[in-house]
Amino acid sequence: MLQKREKVLLLRTFQGRTLRIVREHYLRPSVPCNSPLCPRPAACRNDGKLLSGDVTHYMVPDWKVVQDYLEILEFPELKGIIFMQTACQAVQHQRGRRQYNKLRNLLKDARHDCVLFANEFQQSCYLPRERGESMEKWQTRSIYKAAVWYYHHCQDRMPIIMVTEDEEAVPQYGSETEGVFVISFKNYLDNFWPDLKAAHELCDSILQSRRERENESQESHRKEYPEHLPLEVLEAGIKSGRYIQGILNVNKHRAQIEAFVRLQGASSKDSGLVSDILIHGMKARNRSIHGDMVVVELLPKSDWKGRTVALCENDSDDKAPGESPSEPMPTGRVVGILQKNWRDYVVTFPSKEEVQSQGKNAQKILVTPWDYRIPKIRISTQQAEALQDFRVVVRIDSWESTSVYPNGHFVRVLGRIGDLEGEIATILVENNISVAPFSEAQMCKMPVNTPENPWKVSPEEERERRDLRKTHLVFSIDPKGCEDVDDTLSVRTLTNGNLELGVHIADVTHFVAPNSYVDIEAKTRATTYYLADRRYDMLPSILSSDLCSLLGGVDRYAVSIMWELDKTSYEIKEVWYGRTIIRSSYKLFYEAAQELLDGNFNIIDDIPEFRGLDERSRQAKLEELVWAVGKLTDIARHVRAKRDLCGALELEGVEVRVQLDEKKNIRDLIPKQPLEVHETVAECMILANHWVAKKIWESFPHQALLRQHPPPHQEFFSELRECAKAKGFFIDTRSNKTLADSLDNANDPDDPIVNRLLRSMATQAMSNALYFSTGSCAEEEFHHYGLALDKYTHFTSPIRRYADIIVHRLLMAAISKDKKTEVTENLFSNKDLEELCRHINNRNRAAQHSQKQSTELFQCMYFKDKDQETEERCIADGVIYSIRTNGVLVFIPRFGIKGAAYLKNKDGLVISCGPDSRSEWKPGSLQRFQNKITSTTTAGDSVTFHLFDHVTVRISVQASRCHSDTIRLEIMSNKPYMIPDTELLHQSAPLLKSDLVKEVTRSVEEAHLAQEVKGNIIQEDFQKYCQTKGRSLYTLLEEIRDLALLDVSDSHGI
Ligand SMILES: [Zn+2]
């Protein structure tokens, strides 16, 4: 039986105004209590997540505690937490969507022992607000009342501790009900979690910043920024077209001055604007932070400004075409923020000297975020000095209109500045990547495979699956040393003479049930992260490198697609999808497969599967394998030719390279001999992905996960076209077909670098490929431009990508649907799938960025502290690929580095190259043309740099304390770099990325050893001479250990 009430809701906007909303409110006799102590679980309908059975008490946080200390409540150590609906709503209304989503995710997270209790729908818990009662008091009273009800509901068997920040509530309710205690949050931590240091520090840090905020708001301050407009005004303004909504994007090279608002959805159509809106200066940005969803008012045309075109520090990867922009563009100011995008920021504390110069208010420290786009943050801490050599995580709490900078609090220490592990941790936090080891709870649900307890194919699965073990020659082709084999192939002749091609993919979803612990973790990670020197797997290793991995010689479950092909035309006659059991016969590596294809059979000595066989069976097996590899290649050529007719792009060979332009920067540009067998495997995978895409879309037209690659914006091609023209090539960008053809023709026989640079520019101009739900997109937008396919998805790497796991489940559901059996898979609705796609796309971007940043980190470490005069590595040949007003962009093939080289230095001197070609700085001026730039000294000497000129550059590292180091390039001579004793100039042995990483890792280890020795010496000195504590490394480390700052678990929050 439901009781209807009216509920008046007062919403407070960020600006402090209140909105009155009346809602109908239904009260029920019972709502889920989610406690294992519930006397009537059926009546309560406790069918969701339950609280754990082994706790000593339940904890009920008050609304204010949930608002202020959510990040502590997220600690997995804190168990038995009941979030009252009243508290959750307070968060939603007063802290915004981001914080509310965090709370929702926490409640959903099976790993975290907390539940929601909908107290306002429970008829004996619901309290109407009394006349004159403040919202805050009513919320506290409601939460207390609900806690008491809950206590009695569990038959007084579990004490409840309500934790509140309301000082009056403690005496008021504290002794009202036996078994329900009321204490402050600080008190709670002190009494129940005395050893959870990380939580205590966080709590102190939050308390301190709150106290200071309160003090400050009492003092009167002059306004630094205009107030934001109330939400209703913003919304009305957006509707009427007076304001424009979009995401704020700060230019990292001009972070103080330039930001752009990218138009969103309806905004762009209504306002008739085509370009971004420039937000010039911090005042106009009005406290919005990079990534915030802002509302903008356009300034009158007379106030419009242009964007900067000159070369900035390390400016090498912007997509903006080189020409035109300096003219004024739509310019605006921020009038409100719809959604804040605050996250964890890695910052650096100022050095001791800088702190002193910051002056009187020494407890408030201005820290500098690692990300240039984020403004400095004011942190209240006593530990500034101890923290000055570390990378530290902070969060922003508020940004008042009276404050030049936002206020924040200290969260935890990551590691030392410049230390490899500290810098890698920085990159992970900045990309919001959390890679804590898999927990025990996750692992105990995993199958085992040990020598004592070997994993076996189960008889039920044997009945259900098609068994290919005796009928099919299945094998894999991967890079050498690959552990996680996602995909295997087979080909054979059928009795009717036709061919059968098979692609067999690891059956990950057999082991990973929807919403299991491992599934949730994999979904959160969304992908395996590959950094320059390490990787973080999406799945536990028992799956990724063992039971799911399609290794040679062992039985494995697979999901297979098999096509029957016409024996001569290779036309597809028939296709079969389903679960199988396979036993891969060979785990080949690319080079070996290529040798077999080329007829060099000596390679079989390197293939372990051929060892220990007698000559006859060896010969027979070899023939069988060679036939299969050859046939596959034949089929792949045929399939590829068909795709080429439709305009598939050969950018960097395989699809990943197209969409992840930056991700594999280094590897891309290493002149590695591409093997045809790479393409053979890639083509079979593309074919499988394409057919699965068709299948799941036909079965579930509104909720299938596909991958689209939108056609590029033509204007992004202008630089490519201009560059090609400089070499006399014409690039036709009208379609993917013409682009592919003209790139093939743009080949300078004397300089292969030209074609690579042009292809790389084409890649840069491309849009990113994205996952999407078919229900939220018109069919013509499904198209994959790069692969020239109408439908595409990811199916072939379920060990490494979560999208493929979803696609496997969709395919299984489609198969059940065909068999007219019940679809047992719980499919996502279009809306949920869309949200999931957004998450995965976002994680893929994070994976790209972290890989790029970690590679740059290694590059810098490779060149750092090297004597530039004597070290051979610091001088290299470079190719100019872009001309700017004050310099050029240079690509260094040997190291795969791209960067800016200035032709005018900070003192205003310009470059001059004498008769010996060596460069010097002299007074003079620069003149820029379409494809060249000329530097003329006042004495009248001039030197001109053309596009694609080879020059000699010196590589050095620009060290930075607060940000990442950057590579600096200087032109030493306008002639190519000649390595003595060799004729091959720019093709001198390229340095492989893995070698670079290896060398840096080795020197880091040596440095560590040296440091340890140094530390020991200092310790000895200390004991021997009883020196007073100086600022030595050792004492500082000890101090930090005392503060227990480094003990903070990194599993939390990021
Ligand atoms: Zn119950």
Side-chain angles (χ1 to χ4, degrees), residues 489 491 499 501 565 570 597 628-644 676-687:
L489 295 159
V491 61
L499 289 165
L501 169 67
L565 308 173
Y570 295 160
L597 198 57
V629 175
K631 204 74 201 165
L632 267 184
T633 308
D634 239 23
I635 295 170
R637 276 182 202 147
H638 189 84
V639 177
R640 167 83 210 195
K642 258 191 178 165
R643 241 166 19 86
D644 278 346
E676 182 175 17
V677 72
H678 282 141
E679 248 188 77
T680 300
V681 176
E683 203 57 49
C684 293
M685 296 309 136
I686 292 169
L687 188 70

Side-chain angles (χ1 to χ4, degrees), residues 31-35 37-41 43-46 149 153-154:
V31 297
C33 69
N34 301 318
S35 167
L37 299 174
C38 176
R40 298 178 304 276
C44 277
R45 266 186 253 152
N46 288 338
W149 179 90
H153 179 69
C154 296

Side-chain angles (χ1 to χ4, degrees), residues 15-85:
Q15 292 71 34
R17 293 190 37 161
T18 41
L19 291 176
R20 196 185 141 92
I21 291 172
V22 182
R23 271 195 195 150
E24 285 180 351
H25 188 88
Y26 293 94
L27 296 177
R28 301 176 174 84
S30 49
V31 297
C33 69
N34 301 318
S35 167
L37 299 174
C38 176
R40 298 178 304 276
C44 277
R45 266 186 253 152
N46 288 338
D47 44 13
K49 182 170 128 186
L50 286 188
L51 284 168
S52 144
D54 62 338
V55 291
T56 57
H57 63 272
Y58 291 146
M59 193 257 247
V60 173
D62 189 3
W63 59 278
K64 180 84 173 147
V65 172
V66 180
Q67 276 185 7
D68 285 5
Y69 299 104
L70 184 60
E71 55 200 275
I72 300 179
L73 299 177
E74 282 171 356
F75 275 56
E77 287 88 347
L78 268 55
K79 292 181 166 183
I81 304 179
I82 303 161
F83 286 99
M84 296 298 174
Q85 181 189 12

